[in-house]
């Protein structure tokens, strides 16, 4: 029995759409990872301690959690950071270098979920194409069986995208309750910036008010 070319075309096209869906999802995930890597630079995150280590082997500990942007902020000790010989290549802040980490699993942000939504849409279209091809009355039972099997396989292939998206819905505080330590304060970005500015001003006053004991001794009669 001859199988109409349209049937094989629908199967091949549906498979192609599903592959494109996974390719787009993978590309979006890698782009997100590279962006996170650029923000952290050469700093290394240690999950066991929930802290970062800079290239000069200094630790950045959790400082605050921002519920609006859903990120944990880590900050170095200002006195250590300001005395660092390579500070000029790292930060200009007097309050210490700060690094952020998204606490939600990918996809968490609106942009990430948008790209996952596109992938899910393509996965859905991959099943609709062979399904629509099976509807015309001229299709034989054999052709319909082939198309039905293709629909089931394509739906099973795209299901991980949908189920993972459903399981990673963002929501504070339930979504991050286990991520936020009891000793870490919760504050918005504006509060964090204000706190950092106050700390920087305090550190600048401390440094500009410093006077060497050697100079004081030399000035004595």
């Amino acid at each position: 029995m001859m199988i109409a070319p349209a049937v094989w075309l629908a199967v091949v096209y549906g498979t192609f759409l599903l592959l494109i869906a996974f390719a787009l999802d993978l590309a979006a995930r890698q782009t997100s990872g590279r962006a996170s890597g650029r923000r952290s630079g050469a700093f290394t995150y240690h999950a066991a301690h929930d802290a970062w280590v800079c290239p000069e082997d200094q630790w950045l500990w959790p400082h605050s959690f921002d519920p609006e942007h859903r990120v944990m902020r880590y900050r170095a000790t200002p006195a250590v950071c300001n005395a660092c010989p390579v500070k000029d290549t790292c930060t200009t802040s007097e309050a210490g270098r700060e690094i952020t980490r998204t606490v939600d699993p990918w996809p968490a942000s609106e942009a990430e979920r948008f790209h996952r939504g596109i992938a899910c849409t393509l996965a859905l279209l991959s099943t609709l194409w062979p399904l629509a091809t099976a509807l015309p009355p001229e299709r034989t039972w054999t052709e319909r069986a082939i198309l039905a099997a293709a629909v089931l396989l394509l739906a099973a292939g795209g299901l991980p995208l949908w189920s993972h998206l459903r399981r990673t819905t963002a929501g504070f505080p339930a979504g991050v309750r286990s991520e936020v330590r009891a000793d870490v304060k919760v504050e918005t970005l504006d509060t964090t910036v204000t706190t950092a500015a106050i700390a920087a001003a305090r550190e600048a006053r401390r440094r500009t008010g410093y006077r060497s004991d050697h100079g004081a001794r030399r000035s004595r009669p």
Side-chain angles (χ1 to χ4, degrees), residues 32-33 35-37 39-40 43-53 60-75 97-106 108-109 112 175-181 184:
S32 176
S36 178
R39 289 195 299 269
S40 59
F43 288 64
T44 303
Y45 178 68
H46 292 260
H49 302 286
D50 188 23
W52 295 80
V53 176
L60 285 75
W61 299 100
H63 173 73
S64 64
F65 173 74
D66 185 351
E68 180 181 354
H69 298 88
R70 301 182 62 77
V71 296
M72 190 79 76
R73 292 192 169 89
Y74 303 77
R75 186 174 296 167
R97 171 64 187 267
E98 183 179 278
I99 287 183
T100 61
R101 179 180 69 88
T102 302
V103 300
D104 294 315
W106 196 95
S109 68
E112 292 171 350
V176 297
R177 189 178 299 277
S178 61
E179 290 280 354
V180 182
R181 293 169 24 173
V184 176

Side-chain angles (χ1 to χ4, degrees), residues 1-162:
M1 179 181 294
M2 289 291 296
I3 304 299
V7 173
W8 298 120
L9 179 62
V11 173
V12 171
Y13 189 67
T15 304
F16 176 74
L17 285 178
L18 184 61
L19 293 176
I20 291 297
F22 276 97
L24 288 177
D25 191 73
L26 178 61
R29 187 189 297 262
Q30 291 178 341
T31 300
S32 176
R34 286 194 296 269
S36 178
R38 285 193 295 269
R39 289 195 299 269
S40 59
F43 288 64
T44 303
Y45 178 68
H46 292 260
H49 302 286
D50 188 23
W52 295 80
V53 176
C54 78
E56 296 298 308
D57 202 30
Q58 298 296 328
W59 290 84
L60 285 75
W61 299 100
H63 173 73
S64 64
F65 173 74
D66 185 351
E68 180 181 354
H69 298 88
R70 301 182 62 77
V71 296
M72 190 79 76
R73 292 192 169 89
Y74 303 77
R75 186 174 296 167
T77 303
V80 174
C81 205
N82 292 329
C84 179
V86 295
K87 179 194 174 185
D88 292 341
T89 65
C90 182
T91 181
T92 59
S93 173
E94 295 290 337
R97 171 64 187 267
E98 183 179 278
I99 287 183
T100 61
R101 179 180 69 88
T102 302
V103 300
D104 294 315
W106 196 95
S109 68
E110 292 184 4
E112 292 171 350
R113 296 178 69 81
F114 173 76
H115 287 98
R116 169 56 65 85
I118 293 178
C120 289
T121 301
L122 289 176
L124 177 62
L125 290 176
S126 72
T127 62
L128 293 180
W129 189 272
L131 184 62
T133 306
L135 294 179
E138 64 270 17
R139 295 284 173 249
T140 65
W141 286 109
T142 302
E143 292 173 339
R144 287 197 173 105
I146 294 174
L147 292 169
V151 169
L152 292 176
L153 290 175
L154 292 171
L159 184 61
L161 293 175
W162 286 101

Side-chain angles (χ1 to χ4, degrees), residues 190-209:
D190 292 338
T191 304
T192 300
V193 172
T194 302
T195 303
I198 294 174
R202 185 185 302 114
E203 181 68 15
R205 288 195 300 270
R206 188 186 71 81
R207 296 180 68 193
T208 55

